[in-house]
Amino acid sequence: MQVHTHSDVHFVLVLSGAYQSLAYGAERVSHGPALVFNPAGTEHRDCFLNLNGSFMTVSIAADRARGLSDGLPSSHPLRLHDLRLAMSLFRSLDDDDAVHGEALALELLDTTTASRCGETSSRHPPPWLKLARELIQDRHHQALGLEEIAGELDVHPVHLTRAFRKFTRQTPGEYHRQCRMERAMGLLIGGKLTTLEACLVAGYTDQPHFYRCFNAMYGMAPGAFRRITGLFRTRL
């Protein structure tokens, strides 16, 4: 590969193999799992030694990262927490929840660049955080985007993600999923809808994905949950 630059900020999550980067100041060889961070405009040429390896790249538009990554070298130290976030983002690729993936990507950028700005230095949540939670609750059945939520609250998406994590211990995407699951659980307890109908009303378009999320949160398949709650209704 020829020496080149990217206009966007991007991460390379090395999943396996020995990844060689010629970016100034970067680790010459990173062995997977590892995370490589390249601010916008980094000149580099990368390859896998022995042409054997796998990776995932995450690009964030320069305008969304402006002020966060300006002036940082490629050799900016990355912590274990950054790698864990990147792995969470990789595992989220199977999700159909766009806001969750967006939130993780921006949280990764924020924690990597050690940005400290806005209201989150306060011990008290910003007043718009309650509005953000209510917005997600009211639109849990919709395919919300992080940019859309942040735009309605007039805050930066990175600021939204950071405050949400700090004061709720969740990303906006995780809370969005929780709201959907609670809605689906309520519909199944009611017993008037089939499992598929509850899946669609709660906002899921992919039934297998809905099954995986429900099982991960409640420890059983939605059909089994519906049968058990149906037995309780019959006894009552």
Side-chain angles (χ1 to χ4, degrees):
M1 180 181 291
Q2 298 297 318
V3 174
H4 63 285
T5 62
H6 296 274
S7 59
D8 296 340
V9 173
H10 79 279
F11 294 89
V12 179
L13 174 60
V14 182
L15 298 167
S16 64
Y19 184 85
Q20 183 179 47
S21 175
L22 298 183
Y24 176 76
E27 289 285 341
R28 282 293 173 257
V29 178
S30 299
H31 296 272
L35 184 63
V36 178
F37 171 59
N38 288 318
T42 299
E43 187 175 90
H44 65 112
R45 184 177 66 195
D46 307 330
C47 67
F48 279 102
L49 300 182
N50 302 321
L51 302 179
N52 186 23
S54 59
F55 68 99
M56 177 189 77
T57 61
V58 179
S59 295
I60 301 174
D63 59 339
R64 300 187 73 179
R66 188 170 293 117
L68 297 175
S69 62
D70 297 348
L72 287 176
S74 298
S75 58
H76 184 68
L78 301 179
R79 302 171 297 167
L80 180 60
H81 177 64
D82 304 324
L83 179 58
R84 286 173 176 165
L85 273 176
M87 292 301 295
S88 295
L89 180 57
F90 173 68
R91 289 191 292 268
S92 78
L93 294 178
D94 289 334
D95 293 351
D96 64 353
D97 194 344
V99 70
H100 182 49
E102 281 185 276
L104 285 174
L106 290 179
E107 186 176 2
L108 177 62
L109 174 65
D110 181 46
T111 187
T112 299
T113 57
S115 167
R116 294 294 181 267
C117 63
E119 302 173 44
T120 55
S121 59
S122 170
R123 295 182 179 180
H124 305 288
W128 49 259
L129 186 59
K130 182 174 182 290
L131 298 177
R133 288 169 59 87
E134 291 174 351
L135 188 154
I136 293 172
Q137 289 171 4
D138 292 343
R139 303 188 193 173
H140 67 271
H141 57 287
Q142 298 178 7
L144 282 173
L146 196 65
E147 195 82 42
E148 178 183 353
I149 299 171
E152 295 212 17
L153 299 171
D154 196 26
V155 298
H156 194 284
V158 172
H159 189 187
L160 169 65
T161 300
R162 189 189 313 136
F164 218 98
R165 171 71 81 179
K166 178 176 180 178
F167 293 107
T168 72
R169 306 301 182 197
Q170 294 176 296
T171 67
E174 288 167 340
Y175 184 63
H176 186 222
R177 181 182 302 163
Q178 176 186 318
C179 291
R180 283 183 166 187
M181 287 289 100
E182 290 175 351
R183 174 62 168 159
M185 181 178 68
L187 292 170
L188 293 173
I189 290 174
K192 295 182 179 180
L193 298 183
T194 66
T195 302
L196 175 59
E197 290 170 336
C199 162
L200 296 174
V201 172
Y204 286 91
T205 56
D206 183 339
Q207 191 174 8
H209 177 59
F210 167 67
Y211 276 46
R212 289 194 300 271
C213 290
F214 195 96
N215 189 66
M217 182 166 288
Y218 299 116
M220 65 176 70
F225 179 83
R226 188 175 185 276
R227 287 192 296 273
I228 291 172
T229 55
L231 290 174
F232 279 111
R233 285 195 307 273
T234 300
R235 290 176 183 175
L236 294 174

